[in-house]
Amino acid sequence: MAAPLSPVDAGPSADWQATLPAELAEHGTLVHTRPGQALPLTLGGEETVFVVRMATLLFRLTLADNLRQGVTLLYPGDVFRSAFAPPGPGANLVSLTAGEVLRYRYDAFSRLLDTNAGARAYFDMAVARQSARQAIHLAAVGQLDSTQRLVTFLIELATQIGVPASEGRVVFELPLSRGEVAEYLGLNADTLSRIMSRLRNEGLLSQPDRHTVFVKDLTALAALSPASESLMSARRPNMSGPRP
Amino acid sequence: MAAPLSPVDAGPSADWQATLPAELAEHGTLVHTRPGQALPLTLGGEETVFVVRMATLLFRLTLADNLRQGVTLLYPGDVFRSAFAPPGPGANLVSLTAGEVLRYRYDAFSRLLDTNAGARAYFDMAVARQSARQAIHLAAVGQLDSTQRLVTFLIELATQIGVPASEGRVVFELPLSRGEVAEYLGLNADTLSRIMSRLRNEGLLSQPDRHTVFVKDLTALAALSPASESLMSARRPNMSGPRP
């Protein structure tokens, strides 16, 4: 079996780790996550903040039994403050993958930002970037048809955690189960499987195994969703320049 | 004709105006808005920030012709940084009502926050509150049926701009046209009218005129959406205490 593909080797998070301000990196509590692990939104009754070092997280809202919606996926470099979630038991933050996050009490985090302009700018930019991504996700769920929604999701992953292969080709691991993807996109799981088959049959992608997606023609895939262009320009600023 | 109902007289924005840090109030450019006015997201090529003094705004994303999604409604006290929108021509911010907003260049706004802890806390809290509301909106669009979505929207307005009448009753003006409400909720306009009629027939609300909603039993209305509790607890913190 080949070694698991990891974006850390060559992808975005390698760029990102160079940009995390040292003061934030030093003062967080390093939490090793396992897939499916819930990250508590309070710590001793106090608000928390998480900075994603190396993992994919899902912020999810449960409105009632069987009404769960994935709100935002968080990638390396992203931040989550528990006040971003509505108060109450329906909000939770889950690590979808094994990985590492930095955890802070909000008060301590806030003091770090007050004394470090770089950390402040980092936090503000991460929040803005996530807000832009969440807006695109909302527009996709509200306005796009099933195929467009799934393509939007695949383009989001390709942009955020994809590892570039040969020209126009990108590989990434699916951090969500079929049911979780369906929940994130507001689709039913059978519809999802049917569209995925069609994309495979059309030669746009293949799946070496259930969890891996190999996009064979990113441009052709992206052309299937009107949200692709926004998503691809909303990726991390430090990814937009040429790679060294 | 009676004087138009305004939340400024008795409602949330009166509370809010007392909490806007003086430094922010002093340094913004006061913009008087008319209904439908677009607020430019850049100013001489630079990023902008808006603080809503007295108006309802809509942040909207256009993915393609005929695919427009209302992402977030902004109320008095809310803030909008243009980086919250994805880059590109598809994002715009519109004032739905006549009112007042404060406008800043982002650089100047950012310096104000650096030198004023109160302004910083105000901005961070506004961003968190809006993020929580946007998450609920996404869950509503993704998971709720048509009636639940419309009720969620009415509860949001009642919570944010409603003027309390006698016990359990709330009055507010609809800041969006029927078409805009449909777009915000991802519903079709006829479905919307049908549900609105049903809510009127069931005695939950009445409409003294097309733009005014008089909720006759807030508790009974709220019970029709699983998102109501979250929305009502996500309102401005300064509203949660007893009124003087």
Side-chain angles (χ1 to χ4, degrees):
Chain A
M1 192 182 139
L5 286 159
S6 163
V8 177
D9 301 331
S13 67
D15 293 351
W16 163 72
Q17 291 191 350
T19 72
L20 181 72
E23 201 150 353
L24 287 186
E26 281 160 21
H27 287 85
T29 302
L30 185 65
V31 178
H32 292 273
T33 63
R34 46 171 212 286
Q37 181 177 338
L39 300 171
L41 297 183
T42 57
L43 200 66
E46 281 179 53
E47 204 193 318
T48 49
V49 176
F50 293 96
V51 173
V52 185
R53 255 179 75 85
M54 201 171 66
T56 304
L57 273 54
L58 177 65
F59 162 42
R60 173 198 274 155
L61 215 53
T62 303
L63 293 179
D65 297 346
N66 303 320
L67 291 176
R68 298 202 303 183
Q69 175 67 51
V71 175
T72 325
L73 286 164
L74 302 171
Y75 306 100
D78 284 344
V79 296
F80 191 85
R81 176 183 170 186
S82 39
F84 293 168
N92 73 328
L93 184 67
V94 180
S95 181
L96 299 171
T97 62
E100 293 175 1
V101 301
L102 294 165
R103 189 189 64 205
Y104 310 78
R105 288 176 191 269
Y106 179 70
D107 282 354
F109 187 81
S110 181
R111 280 194 302 273
L112 282 176
L113 299 195
D114 285 345
T115 55
N116 186 304
R120 182 81 244 177
Y122 182 88
F123 176 77
D124 283 345
M125 186 44 70
V127 168
R129 192 176 65 215
Q130 289 161 228
S131 164
R133 240 169 36 223
Q134 191 173 328
I136 296 170
H137 182 207
L138 202 158
V141 169
Q143 299 296 329
L144 299 187
D145 69 29
S146 309
T147 300
Q148 292 170 330
R149 284 190 219 181
L150 177 56
V151 169
T152 303
F153 170 71
L154 295 172
I155 294 296
E156 176 178 340
L157 291 178
T159 306
Q160 295 293 332
I161 59 170
V163 178
S166 56
E167 205 172 321
R169 296 164 176 233
V170 175
V171 185
F172 56 86
E173 289 195 69
L174 271 178
L176 294 87
S177 69
R178 195 177 69 141
E180 286 166 337
V181 177
E183 175 192 298
Y184 184 70
L185 298 176
L187 294 176
N188 105 20
D190 292 334
T191 307
L192 208 64
S193 301
R194 212 179 47 241
I195 302 168
M196 205 68 182
S197 300
R198 215 182 58 227
L199 297 175
R200 281 197 302 268
N201 293 339
E202 290 172 358
L204 293 170
L205 53 84
S206 66
Q207 290 192 267
D209 64 53
R210 267 181 59 203
H211 300 294
T212 310
V213 174
F214 180 33
V215 178
K216 293 158 141 186
D217 188 338
L218 190 63
T219 309
L221 185 69
L224 297 180
S225 163
S228 299
E229 202 182 324
S230 286
L231 268 178
M232 293 166 94
S233 58
R235 63 184 183 170
R236 283 184 286 287
N238 56 329
M239 285 180 64
S240 55
R243 293 284 176 75
Chain B
M1 190 181 143
L5 285 160
S6 163
V8 178
D9 301 332
S13 68
D15 292 351
W16 163 72
Q17 291 190 351
T19 72
L20 181 72
E23 201 149 354
L24 287 185
E26 281 159 22
H27 287 85
T29 302
L30 185 65
V31 178
H32 292 273
T33 62
R34 46 172 211 284
Q37 180 177 339
L39 300 171
L41 297 184
T42 56
L43 199 65
E46 281 179 50
E47 204 192 318
T48 50
V49 176
F50 293 96
V51 173
V52 185
R53 256 178 75 85
M54 201 171 66
T56 304
L57 272 55
L58 178 65
F59 163 42
R60 172 199 273 155
L61 215 54
T62 303
L63 294 180
D65 296 347
N66 303 319
L67 291 176
R68 299 202 301 183
Q69 175 67 49
V71 175
T72 325
L73 286 164
L74 302 171
Y75 306 101
D78 283 345
V79 296
F80 191 85
R81 175 184 171 185
S82 40
F84 293 168
N92 73 327
L93 183 67
V94 180
S95 181
L96 299 171
T97 62
E100 293 175 1
V101 301
L102 294 165
R103 188 189 64 205
Y104 311 78
R105 289 176 191 269
Y106 179 71
D107 281 354
F109 187 81
S110 181
R111 280 194 302 272
L112 282 176
L113 299 195
D114 285 345
T115 55
N116 186 303
R120 183 79 245 177
Y122 182 88
F123 176 77
D124 283 345
M125 186 44 70
V127 168
R129 192 176 66 216
Q130 289 161 229
S131 163
R133 239 166 40 222
Q134 191 173 328
I136 296 170
H137 181 206
L138 201 157
V141 169
Q143 300 296 328
L144 299 187
D145 69 29
S146 310
T147 301
Q148 292 171 330
R149 284 191 218 181
L150 177 56
V151 169
T152 303
F153 170 71
L154 296 171
I155 295 296
E156 175 178 341
L157 291 177
T159 305
Q160 294 293 331
I161 59 169
V163 179
S166 56
E167 205 173 321
R169 296 165 176 232
V170 175
V171 185
F172 55 86
E173 290 195 69
L174 271 177
L176 295 86
S177 69
R178 196 177 68 140
E180 286 166 336
V181 176
E183 175 192 296
Y184 184 70
L185 298 175
L187 294 176
N188 104 22
D190 292 334
T191 306
L192 208 65
S193 301
R194 212 179 48 240
I195 303 168
M196 206 68 181
S197 301
R198 214 182 58 226
L199 298 175
R200 281 197 303 267
N201 293 340
E202 289 172 358
L204 293 171
L205 53 82
S206 65
Q207 290 191 267
D209 64 51
R210 267 181 58 203
H211 300 294
T212 310
V213 174
F214 180 33
V215 178
K216 293 156 139 188
D217 187 339
L218 189 63
T219 309
L221 185 68
L224 297 181
S225 163
S228 299
E229 203 182 323
S230 285
L231 268 178
M232 293 166 95
S233 58
R235 62 184 183 170
R236 283 184 285 287
N238 57 329
M239 286 180 64
S240 56
R243 293 283 176 76

